[in-house]
Amino acid sequence: MNTDNLSRPGHAASDAEAFVTFTVAGQLFGVPVMQVQDILTPNHIAPVPGGPAQVRGKIVTVIDMRTHLSLPKADAGQTGMCVTVEYHGDSYTLFVDSVGDVITLSRSLREGNPATLDAVWRDVADAVYRTDQGLLVALHVDRLLAIETKS
């Protein structure tokens, strides 16, 4: 990976932001690394209405990012990954196509949301960054989950 757009060791910590990257329908996204609790490969995702007593462990709400971002459903048999984040003391999993790397980007690369960005995306995007891997849409986790948990 070309590191021209990554922060340099001499840069102050406040001059850089670290993101866990992932893709959804070919688009690169990132969430702040400090908000990520876990990265998982799902073995089974099922609705649990009322949560039966025999269920043990932690039940985590899954947010299908393709659905949330108004993108087409994944092809049959396509597997995904889960990026678990916390919101108001509860865990939520963002179901994405694939998880990339943790990257640190200089704040000088940060741009506001383009006017052409889809309205649904604009509501949950914090900013965009031009990277060697393409345009990274940095998601604002609190806004994303505030929308999802309103119902």
Side-chain angles (χ1 to χ4, degrees), residues 6 12 16 26 33 47 63 65 67 83 118 130:
L6 302 178
V33 71
I63 309 296
M65 291 302 293
T67 301
V83 178
D118 181 278
R130 296 194 189 282

Side-chain angles (χ1 to χ4, degrees), residues 8 10 24 67 82 87 94 96-97 99 111 121 134 141:
R8 302 277 191 274
V24 180
T67 301
C82 295
Y87 176 70
L94 309 179
V96 302
D97 295 348
V99 175
E111 299 177 19
W121 292 30
V141 173

Side-chain angles (χ1 to χ4, degrees), residues 20-23 28-29 98-103 133:
V20 173
T21 64
F22 56 86
T23 59
L28 183 65
F29 290 92
S98 64
V99 175
D101 297 316
V102 172
I103 61 173
Q133 300 170 354

Side-chain angles (χ1 to χ4, degrees), residues 74-144:
D75 295 333
Q78 182 178 342
T79 60
M81 296 287 293
C82 295
V83 178
T84 304
V85 295
E86 185 177 337
Y87 176 70
H88 290 271
D90 292 319
S91 294
Y92 294 86
T93 288
L94 309 179
F95 186 67
V96 302
D97 295 348
S98 64
V99 175
D101 297 316
V102 172
I103 61 173
T104 302
L105 298 172
S106 170
R107 287 186 195 265
S108 67
L109 300 171
R110 181 184 174 95
E111 299 177 19
N113 291 331
T116 56
L117 194 63
D118 181 278
V120 172
W121 292 30
R122 198 171 32 249
D123 286 344
V124 297
D126 194 34
V128 296
Y129 291 81
R130 296 194 189 282
T131 73
D132 295 337
Q133 300 170 354
L135 190 67
L136 179 138
V137 177
L139 295 177
H140 192 288
V141 173
D142 288 352
R143 284 198 313 250
L144 170 74

Side-chain angles (χ1 to χ4, degrees), residues 41-80:
T41 302
N43 57 4
H44 184 67
I45 298 175
V48 184
Q54 67 270 24
V55 174
R56 300 280 187 238
K58 191 170 190 174
I59 296 174
V60 178
T61 301
V62 177
I63 309 296
D64 183 332
M65 291 302 293
R66 279 181 174 261
T67 301
H68 182 79
L69 297 171
S70 302
L71 295 168
K73 290 184 183 253
D75 295 333
Q78 182 178 342
T79 60

